[in-house]
Amino acid sequence: MSASVLIIGAVFLGVVALILFVAVAMRDKEVSQIEGRLNTITGKGKNDMTSLSELSHQVAKDMDAKGALDEFISKYLNLSLTFEQAKVEMSVVTFLGICVGLGFMGAFLSGFAGVSLVIAPFIGLMFAVLPFLWLVFRRKRRLNQFAAQLPEALELVARALRAGHSLAAGFHLVAQEMSDPISEEFGRVFEEQNLGIPFEEALENLTDRVPNLDLKFFVTAVILQRQTGGDLAEILDKIGHLIRERFKIWGQVQALTGEGRLSGIVLLALPPLLFITVYRMNPDYIQLLFTDDLGKKMLIAGIVSQLVGALVIRKIINIRV
């Protein structure tokens, strides 16, 4: 067991060192490229023959490559947008390095504690998923806070419009008077339109950052009003009232489905806890699930049944309002 522990520890340290080396190398390369281009623009570069046209061509080429990469990541795993929605100041490389480090640490600690080498990789995988769960929880909490603040923000914008202020000034008032996260998001819209971005485009960027259905209703109403006219303050009051009524109905639904959610948690947590208990009491009895052919089939069937049951229970208790 000591040799296996040393091997796991060596692999863990090697992977962490490799991730840190790649992150530092990529950062140094990016910084050097930025410094070189700034020196070229300001005329301080060593290569005076480099023209601005060549520089612009290179920048456009890099932007196209970055756009293709961003498109690929956004299609499969857009962690940058998730970080922005969760307000996490961390790079993707650092986050993935933490996930890999926790995974190897979990496998190393489980092997050090005497857990079977067959189960240690699964424990390491569970540790590696923990940062993703934390990120999803933080994102969901921030989006829920935004949704709870949205009716008050719309009413504040409506009062600002009735007082004779512009819509942009109403957004600035929300950024000054209310707390995060809605103050930060509305303030960003105000700053974007101050920097020359069309107000409609700034609102669409807001809906991309905050996937909220009520916010999309608000943005659509604002864009239509700016194109066709109408009393925007009255529209905002109606949207705010509609959001408050939806929150009341959602609270009633949560109270009625509380028993189902608790039953789902108990039913989904019972098999893993029973597995751990039996493993601690009689490890040889559990090893048949990994060594015997019928045991492997039963284990796969149990995992699939757990996933199907979780989806069914979630479908029953998840009532959209």
Side-chain angles (χ1 to χ4, degrees):
M1 179 61 66
S2 60
S4 61
V5 171
L6 292 176
I7 293 174
I8 295 176
V11 173
F12 166 70
L13 294 177
V15 172
V16 172
L18 179 61
I19 292 174
L20 293 176
F21 175 77
V22 172
V24 172
M26 292 178 63
R27 183 180 182 276
D28 292 341
K29 181 178 179 181
E30 183 179 359
V31 171
S32 62
Q33 289 178 349
I34 294 174
E35 290 179 352
R37 288 168 186 169
L38 288 176
N39 291 333
T40 303
I41 293 175
T42 56
K44 297 180 180 179
K46 296 181 180 180
N47 188 7
D48 297 334
M49 300 300 295
T50 304
S51 62
L52 290 178
S53 60
E54 295 176 352
L55 178 63
S56 61
H57 177 72
Q58 181 64 31
V59 172
K61 183 179 179 180
D62 293 343
M63 291 180 64
D64 291 338
K66 184 179 180 181
L69 180 60
D70 290 342
E71 183 179 357
F72 176 80
I73 295 176
S74 62
K75 185 178 180 180
Y76 296 100
L77 187 64
N78 194 352
L79 288 178
S80 299
L81 180 60
T82 307
F83 288 162
E84 189 174 3
Q85 293 173 350
K87 195 175 173 55
V88 175
E89 301 294 336
M90 186 184 302
S91 64
V92 177
V93 176
T94 303
F95 180 78
L96 294 179
I98 292 175
C99 295
V100 174
L102 285 177
F104 278 98
M105 183 181 68
F108 174 76
L109 292 178
S110 60
F112 183 76
V115 180
S116 175
L117 295 179
V118 179
I119 304 177
F122 295 98
I123 298 177
L125 182 61
M126 293 173 59
F127 273 80
V129 174
L130 290 178
F132 286 96
L133 297 178
W134 169 78
L135 183 63
V136 171
F137 171 77
R138 186 180 177 91
R139 173 183 178 272
K140 183 178 180 181
R141 184 180 63 179
R142 188 170 185 268
L143 293 180
N144 289 337
Q145 291 176 352
F146 183 93
Q149 293 175 315
L150 186 58
E152 184 179 354
L154 297 183
E155 293 175 357
L156 185 59
V157 174
R159 289 195 295 268
L161 292 175
R162 289 193 178 94
H165 297 285
S166 63
L167 182 60
F171 273 71
H172 185 53
L173 184 63
V174 171
Q176 288 182 331
E177 299 296 332
M178 298 189 66
S179 59
D180 289 337
I182 199 165
S183 62
E184 179 181 357
E185 297 295 341
F186 274 54
R188 183 168 176 177
V189 174
F190 177 75
E191 294 296 335
E192 286 181 355
Q193 66 90 28
N194 278 345
L195 294 174
I197 299 177
F199 197 75
E200 291 81 359
E201 184 177 348
L203 290 176
E204 292 177 356
N205 294 336
L206 175 62
T207 58
D208 293 336
R209 294 192 305 270
V210 184
N212 184 279
L213 184 61
D214 298 322
L215 180 63
K216 292 182 179 180
F217 289 154
F218 163 63
V219 171
T220 302
V222 169
I223 294 176
L224 290 177
Q225 189 274 338
R226 292 173 70 90
Q227 294 176 354
T228 61
D231 189 357
L232 183 58
E234 183 180 357
I235 296 174
L236 296 183
D237 287 336
K238 291 182 179 179
I239 295 177
H241 177 72
L242 177 63
I243 297 174
R244 293 185 185 277
E245 292 299 322
R246 286 183 58 189
F247 267 103
K248 290 181 181 179
I249 298 176
W250 182 78
Q252 296 175 359
V253 170
Q254 290 294 106
L256 294 175
T257 58
E259 182 181 357
R261 285 185 282 111
L262 182 60
S263 300
I265 293 174
V266 173
L267 292 175
L268 294 176
L270 184 60
L273 293 178
L274 184 61
F275 177 86
I276 296 174
T277 303
V278 175
Y279 176 79
R280 298 301 301 176
M281 295 176 61
N282 191 358
D284 296 333
Y285 183 78
I286 293 295
Q287 288 295 330
L288 293 176
L289 293 175
F290 301 97
T291 57
D292 189 72
D293 293 336
L294 180 60
K296 295 178 182 179
K297 295 178 181 179
M298 293 176 62
L299 182 61
I300 295 174
I303 295 175
V304 173
S305 300
Q306 280 282 100
L307 297 177
V308 173
L311 293 176
V312 172
I313 293 174
R314 185 178 183 275
K315 188 69 176 178
I316 293 174
I317 65 176
N318 188 18
I319 301 175
R320 299 188 63 181
V321 179

